[in-house]
Amino acid sequence: MIASQAELTQQLLNSGLWISSKVNGVFGWGQGFETVISALDSRITQFSEADAATSINFPPILDRSILTRTGYLHSFPELCGSVHSFCGSEHEHQALLTAVEGDADWSPHVKQTDVALTPAVCYPLYPTLSGTLPEDGVLYSLSSYVFRHEPSLDPARLQAFRMRENVRLGNQAQVVAWRQLWMDRALSLLTSLELDVELDIATDPFFGRGGKMMKANQKQDEGKFEILCPITSAEEPTAIASFNYHQSKFSSVFEILLADGELAHSACIGFGLERCALALFSTHGMALETWPAAVRQELGL
Amino acid sequence: MIASQAELTQQLLNSGLWISSKVNGVFGWGQGFETVISALDSRITQFSEADAATSINFPPILDRSILTRTGYLHSFPELCGSVHSFCGSEHEHQALLTAVEGDADWSPHVKQTDVALTPAVCYPLYPTLSGTLPEDGVLYSLSSYVFRHEPSLDPARLQAFRMRENVRLGNQAQVVAWRQLWMDRALSLLTSLELDVELDIATDPFFGRGGKMMKANQKQDEGKFEILCPITSAEEPTAIASFNYHQSKFSSVFEILLADGELAHSACIGFGLERCALALFSTHGMALETWPAAVRQELGL
């Protein structure tokens, strides 16, 4: 009874919840959809506030050197978005316009800028933390649009989407316990929304042959868990939240130290807000007013 | 007594309202700043709801062909953000990594994608309206992040920022009257927030020598008005809202017709949310709790 990718997309467009564009994985979002996104965001914020986490909203672009320093181009080169602009003279402008009018590649006429699209919400945070952390480490509640270059017909695979993250830096025991706390919180929240969710160990989509070894290592280290929910397939449920333990990967790059001088450990937990909302619409239908009363109440709708 | 650009930036960073990055014009935003952004957004939404405008939130990227079709590369080539990704083999990946590790330009190793950064919130709307509009035209309430490649030390000139737009399509009389209504509403709102604002005729920053003629035409046609407010200079106040009448520029590109078969006219009005918030912090100080009671009440703080 689960709608296919094409059927779900059509239902979203027909009901005005989504607005189409000519590019796969790029949509506008109507008021009903945004109401659910805001409600989910507020529920997650309640947990962040219980942690007394510091709240930051980042723009959709970041300092490009963060991608190179963290090895993003090594692990996920095909997902990155590098931003290029025209920086030339009036004469060079004519050459750009000739390319544009001939529907040719602009690449020879634009230059790489200092910014790239944000690939995950916690990337711009780490460089701001270089130095020594307070005794009990730090907690952050973050939000941003993120970009993944993976154009797809799957409505749950957008090129630009909102990620709601929480991040913890501290010692290993603090960080691992905090990730477990958020797995419990997320399962509890999503179950209360009457979603058919399950927690599973997972891996990131590391690129190429070398990526296979990185996936194996990540699995062995229990570096990543995901909460999965059927959106357009019962057999291949979609990850709607992830729980990632980085050991000292980011702290070693940006020299983030604990009070005792050791490298900090870090973990981030992220909710894909559009995917969580899609799980709700797919499960409970396109009309908010017909959703189960308990779900509406839990979301404050 | 107005703080300089450097002083205001330092005040914002010291108070935790902004979080710095290594790139000019790219910042994170702390909770106090976001509280004001949300409050401004809500006040503008009250006007949109009075218009019964249809609400859409667009992502920070759009179909790149919209820029070419609307002449954006002709008028504002240096502001655009074209998105490029790696699309190669494992062998080509090695060449990318060599460039990245040597801090060289990635351009030869990445390809232009189908998306670009959204330059103004109304651009993704127009292609969705191709065809014949209802009798009374249409009204939209839009929000999105937009991008301008203009790295600057001016805290009011960000590379990525939030723009809150309203758009009207209809006949000339409808569109011009609606723009006037929003100029009145915006002046009333911003004055009630005790900001020292003034309305003035304005022009867009059209590129190059040809741009001079376009500016002159725009001024003669009264195509653009702005509301200006001192943020870091009394002599050169900053535009915090703009009111643009496009005649049939966008409708002719996307074939948007009135019920009588004529081309629709369009206008958009936009608030730069970060600039409006900066005007408030610059005028009333960095501590929300010390702002004038009338301002706090108007914003629901």
Side-chain angles (χ1 to χ4, degrees):
Chain A
M1 287 303 289
I2 289 181
S4 69
Q5 295 179 359
E7 286 165 351
L8 179 58
T9 303
Q10 203 54 56
Q11 289 169 13
L12 291 161
L13 296 175
N14 289 347
S15 55
L17 291 166
W18 283 22
I19 293 89
S20 67
S21 86
K22 272 172 53 189
V23 176
N24 291 336
V26 177
F27 294 87
W29 299 293
Q31 188 152 17
F33 195 75
E34 291 300 295
T35 298
V36 174
I37 294 276
S38 296
L40 285 164
D41 190 65
S42 296
R43 281 298 282 111
I44 297 164
T45 296
Q46 289 178 20
F47 293 127
S48 309
E49 286 177 350
D51 283 355
T54 302
S55 172
I56 305 176
N57 181 28
F58 286 107
I61 57 172
L62 87 175
D63 169 7
R64 179 166 58 87
S65 74
I66 296 173
L67 297 191
T68 61
R69 294 183 69 187
T70 55
Y72 192 83
L73 276 297
H74 192 280
S75 298
F76 314 110
E78 79 285 23
L79 300 180
C80 83
S82 167
V83 178
H84 298 233
S85 289
F86 174 76
C87 307
S89 64
E90 291 215 37
H91 183 71
E92 290 161 320
H93 186 214
Q94 285 307 315
L96 168 67
L97 291 181
T98 302
V100 166
E101 281 153 24
D103 207 18
D105 186 8
W106 310 354
S107 298
H109 309 285
V110 290
K111 283 193 175 159
Q112 189 169 35
T113 71
D114 288 338
V115 298
L117 287 155
T118 304
V121 189
C122 55
Y123 277 75
L125 174 69
Y126 302 116
T128 72
L129 300 178
S130 295
T132 300
L133 298 179
E135 187 76 38
D136 288 334
V138 287
L139 295 121
Y140 284 91
S141 166
L142 308 177
S143 62
S144 181
Y145 279 94
V146 299
F147 175 80
R148 307 279 168 88
H149 180 245
E150 42 182 0
S152 166
L153 292 171
D154 181 356
R157 192 168 292 282
L158 299 174
Q159 293 200 59
F161 57 95
R162 278 161 283 190
M163 194 187 279
R164 184 75 171 71
E165 276 199 20
N166 277 260
V167 178
R168 174 83 167 106
L169 289 97
N171 64 38
Q172 176 167 16
Q174 287 169 332
V175 161
V176 171
W178 175 87
R179 181 176 69 157
Q180 184 61 52
L181 171 67
W182 269 97
M183 289 198 274
D184 298 341
R185 285 169 167 174
L187 276 174
S188 164
L189 170 62
L190 296 166
T191 303
S192 76
L193 298 175
E194 302 185 13
L195 296 176
D196 178 20
V197 290
E198 58 171 352
L199 184 73
D200 201 3
I201 197 161
T203 58
D204 284 309
F206 296 109
F207 181 77
R209 276 172 301 176
K212 285 186 189 166
M213 173 113 46
M214 296 176 79
K215 286 183 197 174
N217 289 341
Q218 190 180 34
K219 206 157 196 170
Q220 191 172 4
D221 295 343
E222 299 197 341
K224 187 181 194 76
F225 287 86
E226 288 176 342
I227 290 179
L228 306 168
C229 180
I231 293 181
T232 56
S233 163
E235 294 73 32
E236 296 184 33
T238 301
I240 63 175
S242 74
F243 307 85
N244 310 281
Y245 170 44
H246 316 123
Q247 305 190 32
S248 59
K249 169 179 155 57
F250 290 107
S251 296
S252 61
V253 172
F254 297 106
E255 297 179 14
I256 308 170
L257 305 176
L258 299 174
D260 64 7
E262 295 291 308
L263 281 174
H265 283 229
S266 68
C268 73
I269 69 93
F271 292 85
L273 290 181
E274 283 80 0
R275 284 187 173 185
C276 290
L278 279 179
L280 287 164
F281 282 104
S282 163
T283 302
H284 302 309
M286 298 298 123
L288 281 182
E289 60 275 17
T290 65
W291 286 11
V295 173
R296 292 174 54 84
Q297 188 176 353
E298 182 69 27
L299 289 172
L301 297 176
Chain B
M1 288 303 290
I2 289 181
S4 69
Q5 294 179 359
E7 286 164 352
L8 178 58
T9 302
Q10 202 56 55
Q11 288 168 15
L12 292 161
L13 296 176
N14 289 348
S15 56
L17 291 166
W18 282 22
I19 292 91
S20 68
S21 85
K22 273 171 52 189
V23 176
N24 291 336
V26 177
F27 294 89
W29 299 294
Q31 187 152 19
F33 195 76
E34 291 300 294
T35 298
V36 173
I37 293 277
S38 296
L40 286 164
D41 190 66
S42 295
R43 282 297 284 112
I44 298 164
T45 296
Q46 289 177 20
F47 294 127
S48 309
E49 286 176 351
D51 282 355
T54 302
S55 174
I56 305 177
N57 181 29
F58 285 108
I61 56 171
L62 86 176
D63 170 7
R64 179 166 58 88
S65 74
I66 295 173
L67 297 191
T68 61
R69 294 183 69 185
T70 56
Y72 192 83
L73 276 297
H74 193 279
S75 298
F76 314 110
E78 78 286 25
L79 299 180
C80 83
S82 168
V83 178
H84 299 234
S85 290
F86 173 76
C87 308
S89 63
E90 292 213 37
H91 183 70
E92 290 162 319
H93 185 215
Q94 284 307 316
L96 168 67
L97 291 181
T98 302
V100 165
E101 280 152 24
D103 207 18
D105 187 6
W106 311 352
S107 299
H109 309 284
V110 291
K111 283 196 175 157
Q112 189 170 36
T113 70
D114 288 339
V115 299
L117 285 155
T118 304
V121 189
C122 55
Y123 276 75
L125 175 69
Y126 301 116
T128 72
L129 299 177
S130 295
T132 301
L133 298 179
E135 188 75 41
D136 288 333
V138 287
L139 295 120
Y140 285 91
S141 167
L142 308 178
S143 62
S144 181
Y145 279 93
V146 300
F147 175 80
R148 306 281 168 86
H149 181 245
E150 43 182 1
S152 165
L153 292 171
D154 181 354
R157 193 167 293 282
L158 299 175
Q159 293 200 59
F161 56 95
R162 279 161 283 191
M163 193 186 280
R164 184 75 170 74
E165 276 199 19
N166 276 260
V167 178
R168 174 82 166 106
L169 290 97
N171 64 38
Q172 177 168 13
Q174 287 169 330
V175 162
V176 171
W178 175 87
R179 181 175 70 155
Q180 184 61 52
L181 172 66
W182 269 97
M183 291 197 275
D184 298 340
R185 285 170 167 175
L187 277 174
S188 165
L189 170 62
L190 295 167
T191 303
S192 77
L193 298 176
E194 302 184 16
L195 296 176
D196 177 20
V197 289
E198 59 171 351
L199 184 73
D200 200 3
I201 197 162
T203 58
D204 284 307
F206 295 108
F207 181 78
R209 276 171 302 176
K212 286 185 188 167
M213 172 113 45
M214 295 175 79
K215 286 183 195 174
N217 289 341
Q218 191 180 34
K219 206 158 197 169
Q220 192 171 4
D221 295 343
E222 299 196 340
K224 189 181 193 75
F225 287 87
E226 288 176 342
I227 290 180
L228 306 168
C229 181
I231 293 181
T232 55
S233 162
E235 296 73 32
E236 295 183 35
T238 301
I240 62 175
S242 75
F243 308 86
N244 310 282
Y245 170 43
H246 316 122
Q247 304 188 35
S248 58
K249 169 180 154 58
F250 290 107
S251 297
S252 62
V253 172
F254 297 106
E255 297 180 14
I256 307 170
L257 305 175
L258 299 174
D260 65 7
E262 294 292 307
L263 280 174
H265 284 229
S266 67
C268 72
I269 69 92
F271 292 84
L273 289 181
E274 282 81 1
R275 286 187 172 184
C276 290
L278 279 179
L280 287 163
F281 282 103
S282 163
T283 303
H284 303 309
M286 298 298 123
L288 281 181
E289 61 274 17
T290 65
W291 285 12
V295 173
R296 292 174 53 84
Q297 187 175 355
E298 183 69 27
L299 289 172
L301 297 177

